[in-house]
Amino acid sequence: MRARDLAVGYETVSVDSDALEAARLMAEHKLPGLLVLDERGEPKAILPASQMIKVLVPAYVIEDPTLASVVDEKHADRLCQALAGRRVGDCLSSKAAPPPIADPDDTALEVAALMAQVRSPLVAVAEKTQAGPGGRGQGGTHLLGVITASHLLHELLGAAGALSTT
């Protein structure tokens, strides 16, 4: 099975999307992360749900987790205010690497190896686009979809006959 066959539609956001809306999207759809697209619609980064949670937690609590026990629920309910007025790009880690991108012709094992190598919960599947006639314009990538780790695992186990039928 090839990456193009495994790729599915997936929620994406842009670097300029509202951070609170992105968090809601993750929560409502129980997503491990979101694929973030740049201004050209090309894959820029993956925003893991854990990174979004990190944005919510005050820095002093991250530095000293014992302080979490003294913050009452009334104040804990205000954590989401940390996202107010922020964009997705503001929530990306300064160390955010470009997302792993599989070629549509990559095999399931190649996708699995890429996912394992970069420890990513998802891999974008995109094909390179060529520059226009006479070299005008610039080439880029066309997103075909995404392969999540759970979907890939399901497909690999199914192919091996290792899935339970009960």
Side-chain angles (χ1 to χ4, degrees), residues 93-140:
S93 167
S94 59
K95 299 173 192 158
I101 300 175
D103 184 84
D105 290 325
D106 285 353
T107 65
L109 185 55
E110 288 174 305
V111 173
L114 175 61
M115 194 175 280
Q117 181 183 30
V118 298
R119 296 181 178 187
S120 176
L122 54 97
V123 170
V125 178
E127 57 190 354
K128 301 279 185 218
T129 57
Q130 301 296 321
R136 284 178 286 178
Q138 57 184 1

Side-chain angles (χ1 to χ4, degrees), residues 31-130:
L31 300 173
L34 291 171
L35 181 61
V36 180
L37 305 177
D38 66 15
E39 54 281 338
R40 295 182 313 273
E42 296 183 12
K44 176 177 177 57
I46 293 173
L47 177 59
S50 59
Q51 176 64 26
M52 191 63 86
I53 289 171
K54 183 177 180 183
V55 172
L56 295 176
V57 177
Y60 64 87
V61 175
I62 292 173
E63 290 173 22
D64 185 0
T66 60
L67 294 175
S69 64
V70 299
V71 177
D72 63 7
E73 288 302 313
K74 180 179 169 185
H75 288 92
D77 290 344
R78 295 186 190 147
L79 291 178
C80 289
Q81 291 177 353
L83 296 176
R86 295 179 88 174
R87 300 280 164 218
V88 166
D90 301 330
C91 299
L92 290 171
S93 167
S94 59
K95 299 173 192 158
I101 300 175
D103 184 84
D105 290 325
D106 285 353
T107 65
L109 185 55
E110 288 174 305
V111 173
L114 175 61
M115 194 175 280
Q117 181 183 30
V118 298
R119 296 181 178 187
S120 176
L122 54 97
V123 170
V125 178
E127 57 190 354
K128 301 279 185 218
T129 57
Q130 301 296 321

